[in-house]
Amino acid sequence: MGLTLLAPIGSALALLFAALLARKVLKAPEGTDLMKKISLAVRKGANAYLKRQYIGVILFFAVIFVVLMVLAFMGYLTMFVPFAFITGGFFSGLSGFIGMKIATAANARTANAARGSLNSGLRIAFSSGAVMGFVVVGLGLLDISFWYFFLKFWYSDPAHLAVAAGQTFQEAQIQAITSAMLTFGMGASSMALFARVGGGIFTKAADVGADLVGKVEVGIPEDDPRNPAVIADNVGDNVGDVAGMGADLYESYVGSIISTAALAVAAGFGFKGVTIPMVMASIGIIASIIGTFFVSTKEGATQKNLLFALRRGTWISGAIIAVAAFPLIYFGLGKENIGFFFAVLSGLLAGILIGITTEYYTSDTYRPTKKLSSTSLTGPATTIIGGLSLGMLSTVLPVVIVGISVLVSYTVSGGSGSIGDPSFNQGLYGVGLSAVGMLSTLGITLATDAYGPVADNAGGIAEMAGLGEEVRKRTDALDSLGNTTAATGKGFAIGSAALTALTLIASFIAEVQVIDPDFKFELSIINPPVLIGLFVGGVLPFLFAALTMDAVGRAAQSIVVEVRRQFKEIKGLMEGKADPDYAACVDICTKSAQKEMILPAIIAVVSPIVVGLLLGVNGICGMLAGATVSGFILAVMMANAGGAWDNAKKYIESGAHGGKGSDAHKAAVVGDTVGDPFKDTSGPSINILIKLLSMVSIVFAGVIMAFHLF
Amino acid sequence: MGLTLLAPIGSALALLFAALLARKVLKAPEGTDLMKKISLAVRKGANAYLKRQYIGVILFFAVIFVVLMVLAFMGYLTMFVPFAFITGGFFSGLSGFIGMKIATAANARTANAARGSLNSGLRIAFSSGAVMGFVVVGLGLLDISFWYFFLKFWYSDPAHLAVAAGQTFQEAQIQAITSAMLTFGMGASSMALFARVGGGIFTKAADVGADLVGKVEVGIPEDDPRNPAVIADNVGDNVGDVAGMGADLYESYVGSIISTAALAVAAGFGFKGVTIPMVMASIGIIASIIGTFFVSTKEGATQKNLLFALRRGTWISGAIIAVAAFPLIYFGLGKENIGFFFAVLSGLLAGILIGITTEYYTSDTYRPTKKLSSTSLTGPATTIIGGLSLGMLSTVLPVVIVGISVLVSYTVSGGSGSIGDPSFNQGLYGVGLSAVGMLSTLGITLATDAYGPVADNAGGIAEMAGLGEEVRKRTDALDSLGNTTAATGKGFAIGSAALTALTLIASFIAEVQVIDPDFKFELSIINPPVLIGLFVGGVLPFLFAALTMDAVGRAAQSIVVEVRRQFKEIKGLMEGKADPDYAACVDICTKSAQKEMILPAIIAVVSPIVVGLLLGVNGICGMLAGATVSGFILAVMMANAGGAWDNAKKYIESGAHGGKGSDAHKAAVVGDTVGDPFKDTSGPSINILIKLLSMVSIVFAGVIMAFHLF
């Protein structure tokens, strides 16, 4: 399969391109000494946080590694699993780490470039976002390629492989390869969970804490250097929105590819079936690289122009992928299987459509957010009711889009019959390919998304360094655009997580069949273990959301106390004569985030094991389906409500309904504050939850099948 | 089956007891002329609303009746269905109507009795609640008995019955009887939907509108007679919390009984299986009647004493049912089937446990609500985050309780195997019996619940009529207790709705098998139509909640405008020299409620038909399961968050965190306002939604099986 070599080639291209972009970004000057100083403080804070986080994560990984080793020795897992788990976690963490490194290096440079022109600012910010995008896809494909070639080599030795009755050697080989690969997804998911939850708590605790004392009590503007939490706030953008998002999407990316590959044997495609998703991903990388060259703008561009500049890149990449997927499927799977091409298309299209609906519900250029801003006229209560109802309403279209996409990709792929039938598995393989199709544009989609926090930081630096009206206006334009791309990015992340989670459920079933080909599934929704699994799975995202929201509340509270203390104890702080102790706030956020992420992580890892031991494999399937359905809906609701509140507030700040300082504005601030943990902590964490649940189930399938009550 | 006669006897006893209680209540004096005047105004308003609502409902029923007649002529339904549909709607509506009549008659009488002593007040309020409770169960069992005996007679003639191959005459007879009876559930559900949604919109629009202008803008106290919306607010308590709740639980009650009966043939129990749930219900009525005699209190009773006084009645009834169920199952189903007794017990217990968790999360005597009240110290944003997270967290235990109850009742009933196996159906029949067990205490449970709005109204009348400090304190004690019983009542309503909905899904499957015994189900959660059904079903409660919250917002807005107008245009109103135009506000609420309930009703009725035509029977099952899971969780979350916000506010008003008028109190009011549509409009409407979806699916099963895409 010479075609498979495209995977490491694609990976190398992505990493090379990322390196080139990084060099370009780092060559740009950082600006004045003050700017350098601020940027350094943010960088230091972010490093301190990540260092601390990695220590906690290493402990967690060590524990799980030992557990997996024990299980491997007991024969429930192959010996590769513990190591695959580690590499998945390592690369996921590395993606986030590199992305954050470049983002914290680019913030002052973006502000400085914006002193020249809007386009220079955009190019720097976008390039640094692109570094992260291409690092994620590059490392993802590297990890996949490494394990694929290594395991293929290892299992080519008949001594290493047990061939079941009625199975060809090749089938046994592919199954052994893909089921080992699946397990590194659990490492990636676990890492992503810590990054998302920890980063999410950090960023919102700092944000809310800084605002509550700074803006509300003391009355100084946002991003004012006198605020002791201002650096923590900027650090938070990087550790939450950049590192967290990177680890999250790394995981969706590899998850969709390997879970589709894992369905190859069941669908009857052999090695071809394993290769196709990997090659699709490589095509996506090349298309994304081409797309980046189309992102640029002119001075004086409107919000719409800027958005179009970013979108153009994504659309061009998508078009290239759509064209290239045809010959890939035609020659790769054979013309009788051309239906799978339409599965890829449906995934690509669904990704774009979910982005559009997200934009519709959260951007202040459309009716819903405008209407929401007018609910602020009657106070905070109506603002909250309006935002919640907007969020709930906004879940309908994404559900319909994902539903149609699943149905279309299943049907065009020849899906029919019931579980275990080859045609049924072909249909599921098609659903997997649609997830791969959706995520194939990830290089550039993530670039436009990770661009946001960089622009946000740049705005903060411009403010703190006193760069003047004109520059601030440019960074504001970039930042405001970042809010929209962040919202669509979140929609994309959630949509792809849902599709990936569905494919992972299919992989779990395939994995169970590998372990025990005679296992009889009773997955009927009316079968009590499945039904109860559905309920338990359905409630998990709510529990998760509650825990993470509470965590943000508690962490913000400790920041409030610290900021108040500094304003009281540091003489001359308000007059700008003394420097605040930024590091203390960063430290508190770091500690809180570390402490608060433990319980959610344990719940995510332990739930499937407990449910499995009590309700068996059928119960787990129910739980996974329930969690995917309710998690998808809740995550969309929280992300969109949060985004809409944020933009409704900005809309009022731009002069509507009395503008800044009016009662409507105060009500809108309440909405925005509620929305903060919605959109940046709880909502995105749910994405990971639904995938991690599947991953844990897959890894522990053997144990669960050996010991379970029902 | 002489035992079956217990059903009409139980029904007659309940109705007789209700009549006696009603006479007792009506004999009590109404108090001063002013009190009579106020009570009359509330009564007039409630009548006006119900009259208007019934006109709208009659139109809706006429349309559906015609549709059903057409389908019956085409052979997709039996000729009884359209008429059963009408009687179900009629009795459900009648339950609400009588309950409301007595409640509006009892409000001034309760206030007047409270002038004498706390116990006299409690007795009147509780008796009027009991009238409603026993009317609901009495009419429910009457409707069931009527159709059962009529249909049994009709189908005893072989000429009226088609016996399928491999079926005994008796089996065919039972199937024909139960599937006709199932369909009157759709009438009851539709009626309940209008009552809950319309009433819920009415009551919250009036409440929010009255508060926004009265308390906030003009600065007059709650229940002040100068507020033009004050009567509408009192009317709302009756049309929403009384009439709506009555219609809702009427529907759960008959739904659980007939859906369990519908599983009798499949479970292999024949006519015995049909009779048992009906007899269980009669036993419950007798036990509830006995229980009511244990509800009384002494002067100076604390909140805890009062609650205990009410609880004692429920617990005694539950104990009687538990004892009586044993011989019923032992002799009715045979000692080899004694396992079903434990199914009944598990349902009874689950109902009580859900009540307790609801109380834990919403009463200010426990930690969660106390903690919530302290979040108000940092403003409305943290209050909202705290309440939402409390609500989300509070969903976990009810889900676990329902899950365990389902698993226990399935297992002890000998459930095993897969769909279609007799043992599997026995298990489902056991789940049905647990729902019947839970609802068997309805007579008295509903009494303690419907008592709440009467006490609330009595407090309003005491305030408006100036009855003095001591009386107001007594009615306040009664009212405050009503808040707790309302919350636990809602928990009970949601829990029983979930169990009933699950039984209805089983009935839907049984109905499909009656229509086409060869139909092959593919209910695996990974089968795309089922999976998409799960997603669509999962999103429906969110859509419903969004629509109903928006509706309340719009309706409240129009009340605000009207109240402002009256304060401006009616000279001497503020000084108490001129009367406000109460009727205008009642009229606006009525019109808004009527207009706003159309869209949700259409969605509830049309969704299963559309999903069925697109995704077939399997898709419908997925949708029903998805809606039950997400609807149960969302309804619990909304009800508990709303209840906790309400009580957190009351806790602050009682002096905590600065008391009335403090900033914390203002923040708590925001929480309470958001909670209003949560707990009284959207949350309870979701209960009905999940049952109505099943009912519509059952009625339209034949059509869907004839025409569907997948």
Side-chain angles (χ1 to χ4, degrees), chain A residues 113-138:
Chain A
R115 292 162 84 188
S117 77
L118 185 63
N119 189 36
S120 324
L122 176 68
R123 290 298 304 177
I124 296 276
F126 179 74
S127 297
S128 74
V131 171
M132 152 104 145
F134 286 101
V135 163
V136 165
V137 296

Side-chain angles (χ1 to χ4, degrees), chain B residues 347-507:
Chain B
L348 254 177
L349 199 64
I352 291 170
L353 289 177
I354 289 179
I356 291 175
T357 65
T358 311
E359 198 186 323
Y360 173 73
Y361 279 106
T362 59
S363 156
D364 64 14
T365 48
Y366 300 102
R367 208 173 143 264
T369 300
K370 277 193 183 141
K371 207 181 108 197
L372 176 61
S373 75
S374 71
T375 62
S376 295
L377 288 170
T378 37
T382 43
T383 306
I384 298 297
I385 293 176
L388 290 173
S389 113
L390 179 150
M392 288 178 172
L393 211 56
S394 76
T395 59
V396 176
L397 282 178
V399 159
V400 170
I401 292 167
V402 166
I404 291 177
S405 164
V406 167
L407 199 61
V408 165
S409 46
Y410 177 78
T411 310
V412 295
S413 310
S416 69
S418 55
I419 230 176
D421 294 352
S423 63
F424 186 81
N425 289 323
Q426 282 200 9
L428 292 185
Y429 183 79
V431 175
L433 272 191
S434 80
V436 175
M438 186 189 273
L439 282 157
S440 60
T441 60
L442 187 64
I444 189 156
T445 314
L446 197 48
T448 58
D449 194 359
Y451 142 94
V454 175
D456 190 356
N457 262 230
I461 290 175
E463 175 77 31
M464 284 190 263
L467 293 190
E469 197 67 16
E470 185 62 21
V471 178
R472 179 74 226 211
K473 234 174 98 186
R474 287 188 194 134
T475 58
D476 270 357
L478 294 175
D479 179 19
S480 171
L481 177 65
N483 277 318
T484 305
T485 59
T488 52
K490 266 163 206 148
F492 183 82
I494 296 166
S496 60
L499 269 188
T500 304
L502 293 180
T503 325
L504 285 169
I505 299 177
S507 306

Side-chain angles (χ1 to χ4, degrees), chain B residues 195-241:
Chain B
R196 269 288 202 200
V197 175
I201 293 171
F202 187 115
T203 180
K204 289 303 123 179
D207 191 359
V208 173
D211 285 357
L212 277 180
V213 185
K215 276 208 248 178
V216 182
E217 292 182 10
V218 187
I220 53 177
E222 198 162 344
D223 293 330
D224 191 293
R226 287 170 293 176
N227 193 327
V230 72
I231 294 291
D233 188 5
N234 279 300
V235 170
D237 292 339
N238 292 294
V239 301
D241 300 346

Side-chain angles (χ1 to χ4, degrees), chain A residues 24 27 88 101 138 200 233 254 280 282 406 427 446-447 493 507 555 600 627 698:
Chain A
K24 201 185 90 185
K27 260 207 300 213
K101 275 284 180 195
D233 188 5
V254 301
M280 267 299 308
S282 325
V406 167
L446 197 47
S507 305
I698 290 173

Side-chain angles (χ1 to χ4, degrees), chain A residues 546-562:
Chain A
L547 292 177
T548 46
M549 280 199 291
D550 271 347
V552 169
R554 272 192 301 269
Q557 206 58 47
S558 44
I559 285 294
V560 167
V561 173
E562 170 64 17

